[in-house]
Amino acid sequence: MLLKLTVQNYILIDSLALDFQEGICVLTGETGAGKSILIDAVSAILGGRIGLDVVRAGCERALLEATFRFRRDWPPLQTWLSEHGIEPEVEGELTLMREISARGTRCRVEGVQVPLAAIRELGEHLVDILGQHEHTLLTRSRAHLGLLDRFAGSEAEVLAREVSVLHARRARLRTEQAERVARAAERERQRDFWSFQLAELEALDVRSEDDLSLLRQERTLLQHAESLQLTLGRIGEALTGGDEAPGVLDGLSRVLGQLREAAVHDPGLEGVLGSLNEAREAIAEASRTVRYRQDRLEPDPERLEVIDQRLDHVQTLLKKYGPSLAQAQAHRERLERDLGVLGASDARGGRLAEELSEVESALWRLARSLTAVRDGAAGRLSDALHAELADLGLKDARFEVQFRPHAEVGPEGAEGAEFFLAANPGETPRPLARTASGGELARIMLALKTVLTRDDAVPTLIFDEVDTGISGRAAQVVARKIAQLGRRGQILLITHMPAIAAVADAHWRIEKVIEDGRTSLSVSSLDEAQQVSQLAHLASGDSQSSAAIDHGRELRNRALAFKHAGGQAG
């Protein structure tokens, strides 16, 4: 239970310390007086969302602190304390603190800084807050399954968590599988592209730079074959002579004959004679080569066209894969290696399919177990709520849970659930969201809280204006039900209804005060006489007249009477 709440520099609060007690602790005040500020402070301490603008104007930081008493033998809380290495200074008590400043927020438990998510987990074991709009959860069918699982107990909650975990795993595996399929399609496109490139390079029939050079030389010769024939013919005639004029060899032969005659008389000319003989032999060889080259030259347009096409093809491929022939050949080798890698077997793909099948089977097994637990709990919940609703003035109401099977297991199981209600005899149950009035929704939520807290270890319930939408007789029956709940644990209650406020074991009045032009929140603890006066004010707006006071005293006495009778009187 909540023992103490301390608030500093928070919204309209300068400094406030409240000591709470067991039973029903009531907070009342005018509309807009700031009653929910205190509940919001408790929510913030327990990890609720909060903005940095809650720090009171002119202050650097806000401090929120709460001390709770807890059952020392409760395993979930002991496990939490052990996991976070926290040892309470006072046995059976925990002090939680949250500091808010422009730099952010910090949370501590027993002085140990704790992550916000861990604080939220701890808060679920200490307090259950039913806000003034929480009964609208009943209008959202998606929330009904969670309420049913909570009623079903630990077995359903454990199975639901396991289903959720396994569903998330299946989703990850499906995503991986889809990604692998997409990658396989991309690999196939890559394979086709690389195979096309490899085929182009394999068609490249030039294997070396020498081959390419020879091919270019042949093209050059064929391109100039006719002009070369004419030129070489003239050169041959110049060297060997023709019909009309002697050639170089003829002239050199005559010179050699004359030189031999001269060398008879001048032996020093032997060297010159030898050189000219060598020159004549060289020219004769050159003449034969020219004639040979001339004879081999033959214009061949068809061959030239073939060579042009081959060289054009080579040039095109070198632009794509070169620019050198060596680079194109290296690219071809890379393609062969890469295509070999692409063709390797996809072992993970096979294992993934097996794993996905196993997870799918396990998920369905868990989901079927969860469905069976929920099915049994649905009947028990209907029976339990029938009794509670009868106590709350809806004795003819018929409540039932209807399931909607899913085609496949979702994160919450193999089905959805929706609450149905027939508020009056002879009516067919219809979806709660379209059937119940605001007052009926408030009473149904209160009935659910009653049912859910029977075996609930959460020691503190906070009701923030759960009387929204009810009045008169309905307010009386809600008051009795809250009185019954107050016997099981602590209840913090914000209300506008005098019949409900009258069941208080402790009562505070909340109001805004203005001093020196600054608005602050004032919280006053009420004694019995002040409580009667406040009830009179809530009932009629008059806390002074004897008639109003008498009515307030009547409300209080009636509430005390049925509280002392175990919540059944009146």
Side-chain angles (χ1 to χ4, degrees), residues 259-271:
L259 189 59
R260 288 190 193 96
E261 293 177 359
V264 172
H265 304 291
D266 184 358
L269 294 175
E270 289 293 335

Side-chain angles (χ1 to χ4, degrees), residues 110-177:
E110 292 292 306
V112 178
Q113 190 161 331
V114 176
L116 194 58
I119 288 288
R120 292 193 184 108
E121 181 184 350
L122 173 62
E124 292 176 358
H125 302 313
L126 299 173
V127 173
D128 188 0
I129 299 178
L130 175 60
Q132 57 183 308
H133 301 299
E134 188 173 340
H135 63 261
T136 60
L137 280 175
L138 294 176
T139 68
R140 299 198 292 272
S141 60
R142 291 185 61 184
H144 296 176
L145 201 60
L147 292 170
L148 177 63
D149 286 348
R150 182 173 170 186
F151 173 78
S154 60
E155 183 180 6
E157 292 179 331
V158 168
L159 283 171
R161 282 196 296 271
E162 291 177 347
V163 165
S164 178
V165 169
L166 211 54
H167 176 272
R169 184 180 172 194
R170 183 185 69 179
R172 290 193 297 272
L173 290 174
R174 283 182 171 179
T175 298
E176 182 182 353
Q177 188 179 56

